[in-house]
Amino acid sequence: MMRAHAMVLPVGLVLAACEAAPEPAPTPSERVSATVPVSDAVVKSSQAPLSAADLRRVCRAGLASVHGQDVDAVQVDSLEGVIVNASWRAPVDGGRMRAQCRVDGDLITWKPVDRPVAEQNRWMNQSGDPVVRFVLDDAAVTVMTTLPDGTISTDEYAVAVQEEAR
């Protein structure tokens, strides 16, 4: 007479096979979007729109940080509503690099201008683009950039209001 053998599997192995796949970790953009910068300084509310002078200050600091420039090198060429048109000396050929900048809450978004390929002249707010945030106080603009790999850099620029009141 043949005897049947029952196979016993460890309970944990059976349950592990039934569990749903774990949720993927949030992307750096998702992590940054959920955090609000904290400062001991007097921070302007991210709910209220910036004044024209503060918009120029924030965009100069943001573009300087993103492009590795000194804030004094970044010039505001014009202001079109909430869009700042800025430029700075090109490091390679001495020409002018141009960009536009806008601010939404504590987020700085920019786009290059005059690139040879039209598709490269786009707002840098897509998946895979760095996330640039700021904190503004009376004497300085602090810019925090989060790269797609999660690396964060912080730069602080002294951009006084009276410098921009031209």
Side-chain angles (χ1 to χ4, degrees), residues 33-111:
S33 298
T35 61
V36 176
V38 178
S39 172
D40 293 334
V42 177
V43 178
K44 296 194 185 246
S45 169
S46 61
Q47 304 297 3
L50 295 175
S51 68
D54 284 343
L55 179 60
R56 289 190 297 264
R57 289 175 65 208
V58 168
C59 282
R60 284 184 60 209
L63 290 169
S65 179
V66 166
H67 294 286
Q69 297 294 312
D70 184 70
V71 74
D72 293 332
V74 178
Q75 252 183 338
V76 172
D77 298 327
S78 65
L79 186 62
E80 298 174 21
V82 296
I83 305 292
V84 172
N85 293 297
S87 65
W88 58 96
R89 185 177 179 276
V92 176
D93 64 5
R96 297 294 290 170
M97 301 289 295
R98 299 185 191 290
Q100 291 184 320
C101 172
R102 64 183 183 209
V103 173
D104 182 26
D106 67 343
L107 185 66
I108 300 170
T109 308
W110 67 280
K111 79 174 187 175

Side-chain angles (χ1 to χ4, degrees), residues 143-163:
V143 179
M144 292 119 343
T145 303
T146 304
L147 300 176
D149 68 0
T151 305
I152 299 173
S153 67
T154 302
D155 296 304
E156 185 171 285
Y157 298 96
V159 188
V161 174
Q162 58 270 23
E163 286 183 34

Side-chain angles (χ1 to χ4, degrees), residues 128-144:
D129 290 335
V131 176
V132 183
R133 296 197 178 280
F134 74 95
V135 174
L136 175 65
D137 69 29
D138 291 333
V141 179
T142 304
V143 179
M144 292 119 343

